[in-house]
Amino acid sequence: MSTDRTLRDFAELIRSGSVVPAEAWAKGPLKVGVDLGTANLVLAVLDASNRPVAGITHHSTVVRDGIVVDYIGAVRDVTAMKAELEKRIGRPLLKAAAAIPPGVHPGSTKAIGNVVEAADFELAEIVDEPAAAARFLGVSDGAVVDVGGGTTGISVLKDGKVLASFDEATGGTHMTLVLAGARGLPFDEAEAEKLDPANERMVFAVVRPVVEKMASIVERFLQAHPDVDTVHVVGGACTFSEFESVFAKQTGRRIVKPAEPLLVTPLGIAMFPLATGDK
């Protein structure tokens, strides 16, 4: 199944609150990816063959730029999302992985892991967000850019291994701040306006300088990697239809954006390898 088809199917599972029937699951344990984003929390449930089973999203501000700013709230939200998924699926969810933007302080990484464990998961691993996205997309060579609510993270891969990673605090929140200033709106109203597809043309005209800044960050980082000719962009902040063209013009490279870019990273997080003996 193509990655775009998988993403669309997973998006429909989230929108409908449905679950793939148990008889269609691969034999083995279910795996969970916990994506603690600046604007959204996403939990993705996969079977042992990395096929989506169920998922859930929740708008939240408990994490900012990879740092847990409301630990109690984060644990509460993840615990509630886990409970809802277990109710839908009809069995407990035991093991989960999480992700961080590249370059996050070790203390913040530990806090992310603590949230997952406090929600009564066994923590499988913590990976860089762009590396998780690359895992889902099957990218072994090139660059992956994860444009989240708070940060733009970049990883360069060669033969399946991450050669270099970088992260800068520019993301969807910065778009909303620029829009709020330009339109004279409170932040929450600007955020709602930004997310309304009917406003896309107007909104993008206002936030285009932020996207150009993101692209310049990527272009500057990739100067040390001239052999990278393809950049894969993921994350909720890159959903604008003109996003790829701005990045292509700025970087001079081929830009690839998958369907449902917000959901790429949580699926990649959940694709952690099973330990020997897992059943």
Side-chain angles (χ1 to χ4, degrees):
M1 183 182 293
S2 71
T3 55
D4 278 357
R5 173 68 183 276
T6 299
L7 286 162
R8 292 189 180 100
D9 288 350
F10 181 53
E12 181 56 30
L13 289 173
I14 291 174
R15 279 192 285 266
S16 64
S18 56
V19 176
V20 172
E23 55 268 24
W25 304 349
K27 184 178 180 181
L30 296 176
K31 305 188 294 180
V32 182
V34 180
D35 189 0
L36 299 172
T38 296
N40 297 283
L41 308 183
V42 184
L43 267 62
V45 183
L46 307 185
D47 69 12
S49 292
N50 294 326
R51 293 178 297 201
V53 167
I56 190 171
T57 63
H58 175 65
H59 180 70
S60 180
T61 56
V62 297
V63 175
R64 185 176 302 134
D65 304 346
I67 299 171
V68 179
V69 295
D70 179 0
Y71 180 80
I72 300 301
V75 173
R76 179 195 62 231
D77 289 348
V78 174
T79 300
M81 295 167 75
K82 176 177 184 282
E84 174 60 28
L85 285 172
E86 289 176 334
K87 180 181 177 181
R88 295 179 193 174
I89 292 169
R91 67 180 64 185
L93 298 170
L94 305 177
K95 187 176 288 191
I100 53 170
V104 166
H105 188 276
S108 298
T109 302
K110 182 172 176 57
I112 292 286
N114 288 345
V115 169
V116 175
E117 292 179 327
D120 202 24
F121 282 115
E122 177 187 345
L123 181 64
E125 67 174 4
I126 299 178
V127 298
D128 280 359
E129 291 169 350
R135 182 158 63 186
F136 171 76
L137 296 172
V139 174
S140 57
D141 296 282
V144 176
V145 176
D146 191 334
V147 187
T151 63
T152 297
I154 314 159
S155 286
V156 174
L157 299 100
K158 181 70 173 178
D159 297 327
K161 296 182 179 180
V162 176
L163 296 181
S165 292
F166 178 74
D167 187 71
E168 186 158 320
T170 301
T173 297
H174 301 81
M175 294 179 179
T176 305
L177 289 170
V178 168
L179 183 63
R183 300 272 292 154
L185 297 172
F187 182 89
D188 289 346
E189 289 183 24
E191 178 73 5
E193 191 168 89
K194 182 186 75 174
L195 296 177
D196 186 344
N199 298 325
E200 177 173 341
R201 183 181 294 275
M202 177 275 293
V203 169
F204 194 78
V206 175
V207 304
R208 185 184 184 101
V210 182
V211 179
E212 290 172 342
K213 180 183 178 182
M214 294 172 181
S216 70
I217 292 168
V218 173
E219 192 275 332
R220 187 168 63 249
F221 180 76
L222 291 180
Q223 286 177 2
H225 305 277
D227 56 328
V228 172
D229 58 8
T230 301
V231 177
H232 300 262
V233 292
V234 303
C238 75
T239 55
F240 294 100
S241 58
E242 295 183 59
F243 192 96
E244 300 100 302
S245 62
V246 171
F247 259 59
K249 182 178 180 179
Q250 182 76 34
T251 65
R253 291 170 167 85
R254 174 174 173 255
I255 306 299
V256 178
K257 183 176 73 178
E260 306 289 349
L262 171 65
L263 303 179
V264 171
T265 298
L267 287 171
I269 296 170
M271 291 173 64
F272 58 84
L274 292 170
T276 302
D278 278 337
K279 297 180 180 179

